[in-house]
Amino acid sequence: MSEHDAPTAPARILVVDDDPTVAEVVGGYLERAGCSVEHAADGPDALLRAERRWPDLVVLDLMLPGLDGLEVCRRLRAHRPVPVVMLTARGDEDDRITGLEVGADDYVTKPFSPRELVLRVESVLRRTRTAAASSGPGPVLRAGYLTVDPATRRAARAGRELSLTLREFDLLAYFLARPRAVHSREELMREVWGWDFGDLSTVTVHVRRLRAKIEDDPARPRFVRTVWGIGYSFEPEGDGEHGNDGEAP
């Protein structure tokens, strides 16, 4: 990490992988990047270590003994918000999508470049720190029955607090701050995720999850509208054209 981006204390990274070679290589690269690394070899051990010393980020393999990565991610996120970067086997697209749907912030497919993984970890940490640093006073964003308070990072639907992941909150706040503008998935990935590269299906999955939480009928969204061939736009009064929850081509 650069001196400018480094936090005052090393980021605590929990690496969860039952392959000791992978864990050693990943841990070594992360330590050289300035992180403090702890290793867990299975799902139950990961949950125990996280409870003892809550990490700043978890690098989580999907295929684990005891509990698989998806269940570990669900239990971690049910306890407290924590950024998660998942490791998946190449070609397991369904698992990657499911990982994003249970709250993972990013994924890297095996075999992977350790340097690429470090870049992904740094990107997620940077967004997390930026969100924490920008939690000062600011205007509350409102649209229809939706309310987003960037200062407290809380969002509500008709007065009832929404349970949003880090990315879902950032995506909703980005939409509310730019009503009726049309956003490509490339723009959303760059501005919300902070990535200049990556799988655009990540954006699609998060839009789908966000719709499921804010729309009366996610299959016929009123707020987050698909603009075919371009991306998405946000209708602040929920009066957009009804459309299906398909991918923006």
Side-chain angles (χ1 to χ4, degrees):
M1 297 182 187
S2 69
E3 182 179 351
H4 177 74
D5 289 335
T8 55
R12 297 187 302 274
I13 310 298
L14 177 60
V15 176
V16 188
D17 198 304
D18 62 331
D19 186 328
T21 301
V22 171
E24 182 179 358
V25 171
V26 169
Y29 271 82
L30 288 170
E31 286 174 347
R32 285 192 289 274
C35 300
S36 172
V37 179
E38 188 173 5
H39 172 233
D42 57 43
D45 188 30
L47 295 175
L48 181 61
R49 289 176 184 272
E51 183 178 354
R52 288 176 177 171
R53 189 167 184 258
W54 196 255
D56 295 310
L57 182 142
V58 180
V59 176
L60 180 61
D61 189 20
L62 269 180
M63 302 299 293
L64 292 170
L67 290 173
D68 65 23
L70 294 176
E71 183 60 26
V72 171
C73 185
R74 288 189 187 97
R75 295 192 186 189
L76 287 172
R77 297 307 300 260
H79 182 61
R80 281 174 60 185
V82 61
V84 174
V85 175
M86 280 193 166
L87 305 180
T88 72
R90 187 176 300 278
D92 291 344
E93 182 177 357
D94 290 343
D95 284 342
R96 294 199 297 272
I97 296 300
T98 303
L100 294 172
E101 289 180 340
V102 299
D105 295 275
D106 195 5
Y107 64 84
V108 177
T109 56
K110 293 182 176 181
F112 57 86
S113 161
R115 291 183 179 180
E116 178 189 355
L117 176 59
V118 170
L119 288 174
R120 295 298 183 93
V121 167
E122 289 181 337
S123 173
V124 173
L125 286 172
R126 189 180 307 115
R127 298 294 296 182
T128 305
R129 292 197 303 270
T130 299
S134 62
S135 60
V140 174
L141 305 173
R142 292 184 172 85
Y145 51 65
L146 299 174
T147 304
V148 172
D149 186 349
T152 61
R153 292 191 64 80
R154 291 187 173 184
R157 179 182 186 273
R160 178 172 295 181
E161 187 167 352
L162 292 167
S163 176
L164 302 177
T165 67
L166 171 72
R167 297 294 191 211
E168 290 166 359
F169 182 91
D170 289 344
L171 183 60
L172 181 59
Y174 190 83
F175 279 142
L176 263 69
R178 298 160 182 82
R180 296 191 176 90
V182 178
H183 311 285
S184 68
R185 289 187 297 160
E186 290 85 356
E187 173 197 339
L188 294 172
M189 176 164 283
R190 182 177 63 252
E191 299 299 329
V192 177
W193 275 257
W195 306 344
D196 291 321
F197 61 92
D199 187 345
L200 293 177
S201 67
T202 299
V203 178
T204 306
V205 171
H206 279 78
V207 168
R208 184 184 307 140
R209 281 184 54 82
L210 185 60
R211 282 172 168 164
K213 295 179 179 182
I214 68 172
E215 303 281 1
D216 289 328
D217 181 359
R220 294 172 55 82
R222 297 170 53 203
F223 287 105
V224 182
R225 182 165 61 92
T226 297
V227 181
W228 295 106
I230 302 177
Y232 305 99
S233 68
F234 184 85
E235 295 296 332
E237 301 304 324
D239 56 358
E241 297 177 11
H242 290 280
N244 63 34
D245 188 13
E247 180 174 327

